Amino acid sequence: MPELPDVEIFRRTAETHALNQAIEAVEIDDQKVAASSPQNLSESLRGYWFTEAKRRGKYLLMPTSGETVLVMHFGMTGWLEYNQGDKPGYAKATFNYTNGYSLHFINPRKLGRLYITDDIEAFCQYMKAGPDALALKEDAFMERAQKKKGMIKSALMDQSFISGIGNIYSDEICFQARFHPKTKINDLSEIQLVRLFHAMNDVLQTAIEHHAIPEKMPAHFIIPRRKEGEYCPRCGGAIKKDKRSGRGFYFCPHCQE
Ligand SMILES: [Zn+2]
């Protein structure tokens, strides 16, 4: 599932290629991706242009020269492609520009959504999207974290607490901060919470620097080692998978307590 670093890469694609050119037509190839009606989506965008590409957690926000903002959520898997010519496979929506190029919203496993809003803050509140994990400052994080209950991993993945982190990056943050994912966040001392905050920032920034490609992550990351039989890059011990909770999580029982 695309998480904050992935969506940041999509945001950069949109920012580099897809701004300040008039949208000639919007093609919706799968009605389910349009959270409002495809007609409304098309009418809100046609003749206008995207002025900015912003991000909040896993949402890509594209304000237009009109009154509205297009919001993209990539669901289980998805990405953006900008090209001239053939429509790529799994393109569920296409924004055609007057210059002959198109921006494609690709979504192979569905569950991706396109929304139209005229108020980003109201939209985020309605979707219960908390502050973006990379935009959150240390003191604001501490204030929120000190009131939070539950396991560290669940807290990191709770989009209303912090937005942008999912299954894969929450494992990496716990690994880098050396906390067992099931440790209760309210059992952490102030110093430990600061450590968690810095691990969160380092992991997300580093992932973006490596274009959010798992195989290209640095050697001290466990993301490329999410397999049973793999070894911990820190201590050389076996990586464990805990299968009890949903999709399961990976950790090193020796390094994470
Ligand atoms: Zn280890």
Side-chain angles (χ1 to χ4, degrees), residues 232 234-235 252 254-255:
C232 169
R234 190 181 288 128
C235 72
C252 171
H254 177 71
C255 295

Side-chain angles (χ1 to χ4, degrees), residues 81-102:
E81 255 179 72
Y82 180 79
N83 73 4
Q84 187 180 31
D86 291 346
K87 199 180 276 194
Y90 303 112
K92 299 292 169 69
T94 295
F95 307 91
N96 294 321
Y97 292 102
T98 49
N99 67 359
Y101 280 78
S102 303

Side-chain angles (χ1 to χ4, degrees), residues 17-237:
H17 301 292
L19 304 186
N20 304 317
Q21 313 171 46
I23 300 161
E24 190 173 60
V26 181
E27 295 171 29
I28 305 290
D29 290 295
D30 179 350
Q31 305 239 336
K32 286 195 215 89
V33 302
S36 58
S37 75
Q39 193 190 356
N40 171 266
L41 198 80
S42 178
E43 279 169 10
S44 308
L45 300 174
R46 198 170 50 223
Y48 298 107
W49 52 92
F50 298 120
T51 55
E52 241 182 304
K54 310 207 283 190
R55 191 185 47 68
R56 169 94 160 247
K58 301 175 190 174
Y59 292 102
L60 179 59
L61 308 155
M62 311 249 326
T64 70
S65 56
E67 307 270 295
T68 54
V69 179
L70 172 70
V71 183
M72 301 186 186
H73 190 277
F74 295 86
M76 292 302 287
T77 172
W79 60 93
L80 290 178
E81 255 179 72
Y82 180 79
N83 73 4
Q84 187 180 31
D86 291 346
K87 199 180 276 194
Y90 303 112
K92 299 292 169 69
T94 295
F95 307 91
N96 294 321
Y97 292 102
T98 49
N99 67 359
Y101 280 78
S102 303
L103 181 69
H104 305 280
F105 177 76
I106 320 266
N107 198 230
R109 285 174 63 196
K110 303 186 180 164
L111 300 173
R113 288 284 179 278
L114 301 176
Y115 307 85
I116 290 287
T117 181
D118 53 10
D119 185 338
I120 292 176
E121 275 316 307
F123 174 84
C124 290
Q125 225 169 47
Y126 179 74
M127 300 305 285
K128 298 192 169 69
D132 182 84
L134 270 185
L136 196 61
K137 299 276 180 280
E138 187 179 310
D139 50 350
F141 173 83
M142 295 300 284
E143 206 188 308
R144 297 176 77 80
Q146 277 160 346
K147 290 184 221 146
K148 186 72 185 156
K149 294 195 164 66
M151 300 185 295
I152 299 178
K153 179 172 171 76
S154 318
L156 290 172
M157 289 174 64
D158 175 355
Q159 302 301 296
S160 65
F161 172 54
I162 308 170
S163 58
I165 300 166
N167 193 39
I168 290 175
Y169 286 98
S170 57
D171 280 0
E172 188 66 55
I173 293 164
C174 289
F175 178 73
Q176 296 300 337
R178 299 191 181 207
F179 295 124
H180 191 289
K182 286 194 167 176
T183 303
K184 297 270 194 302
I185 191 164
N186 44 308
D187 286 343
L188 300 185
S189 67
E190 206 170 314
I191 287 172
Q192 288 174 316
L193 281 176
V194 171
R195 196 165 101 204
L196 183 65
F197 174 78
H198 288 287
M200 176 177 84
N201 266 279
D202 287 348
V203 164
L204 297 174
Q205 293 284 9
T206 304
I208 292 166
E209 282 161 25
H210 293 78
H211 306 280
I213 300 168
E215 299 74 33
K216 295 201 171 158
M217 293 297 160
H220 67 281
F221 268 39
I222 58 160
I223 284 179
R225 299 163 184 255
R226 295 176 68 82
K227 274 195 276 303
E228 283 188 273
E230 274 284 359
Y231 295 95
C232 169
R234 190 181 288 128
C235 72

